[in-house]
Amino acid sequence: MGQVMGFNADAAGFQSARDMVTQMAESESAQLAGMARFMASQGLDARLRARDWTGFARRYNGPSYWKNAYDVKLKSAFEKFSSGISRDLRARAAQGRCCFWATTRATRTACWARTRAAPSRRFAPMRTWRPAMRWMTRCSRPS
């Protein structure tokens, strides 16, 4: 996820820096939407579509982008993630499905924990969920 400075709140589609922080603290969706609006307002979206990593890095990070090799890191990340969906994204998608399929908090919690523990086995029998439930007691539960 990218970062947007408070003085760019208007360019990111928010009324103020405070409004931006409030909305972005509420959800990943708000963070992503704000970042997308900011990139579009700065013409960065076109640079990404053109895979102009140097142009994007120079505009987003400033003229000293090269000191931290931001363009190289962007290209590397694009190549890594464009080669196929990662395991983490499959787990996130499965967790999203759990929120829609589960009808009770207990079912939703079990489903959420199960996908975190073993995202590649989406529909395993309930007996495989027990270790995941132990994991869940150490972490925050979905609402």
Side-chain angles (χ1 to χ4, degrees), residues 4-74:
V4 180
M5 300 297 287
F7 55 82
N8 287 316
D10 185 51
F14 299 99
Q15 293 179 3
S16 66
R18 184 180 303 273
D19 179 46
M20 181 176 78
V21 170
T22 301
Q23 287 190 41
M24 286 187 166
E26 288 179 10
S27 72
E28 291 173 352
S29 296
Q31 293 174 32
L32 184 60
M35 186 65 200
R37 288 189 301 263
F38 172 74
M39 288 192 307
S41 75
Q42 303 299 307
L44 295 169
D45 56 330
R47 294 182 191 271
L48 287 178
R49 279 194 293 277
R51 299 182 187 162
D52 177 9
W53 312 120
T54 302
F56 178 89
R58 183 182 297 118
R59 180 75 176 111
Y60 182 72
N61 299 105
S64 298
Y65 72 92
W66 58 271
K67 290 180 181 177
N68 291 306
Y70 288 127
D71 55 335
V72 175
K73 292 175 183 177
L74 285 168

Side-chain angles (χ1 to χ4, degrees), residues 37-124:
R37 288 189 301 263
F38 172 74
M39 288 192 307
S41 75
Q42 303 299 307
L44 295 169
D45 56 330
R47 294 182 191 271
L48 287 178
R49 279 194 293 277
R51 299 182 187 162
D52 177 9
W53 312 120
T54 302
F56 178 89
R58 183 182 297 118
R59 180 75 176 111
Y60 182 72
N61 299 105
S64 298
Y65 72 92
W66 58 271
K67 290 180 181 177
N68 291 306
Y70 288 127
D71 55 335
V72 175
K73 292 175 183 177
L74 285 168
K75 182 179 180 182
S76 175
F78 175 79
E79 289 171 353
K80 176 183 176 183
F81 291 107
S82 64
S83 64
I85 193 163
S86 75
R87 182 176 173 95
D88 292 342
L89 295 178
R90 283 194 302 263
R92 182 76 170 131
Q95 289 165 352
R97 285 191 296 276
C98 286
C99 291
F100 290 106
W101 291 341
T103 55
T104 66
R105 179 177 167 78
T107 306
R108 201 167 45 245
T109 300
C111 184
W112 183 273
R114 184 40 210 77
T115 61
R116 291 288 293 189
S120 61
R121 294 176 293 156
R122 290 191 341 204
F123 300 106

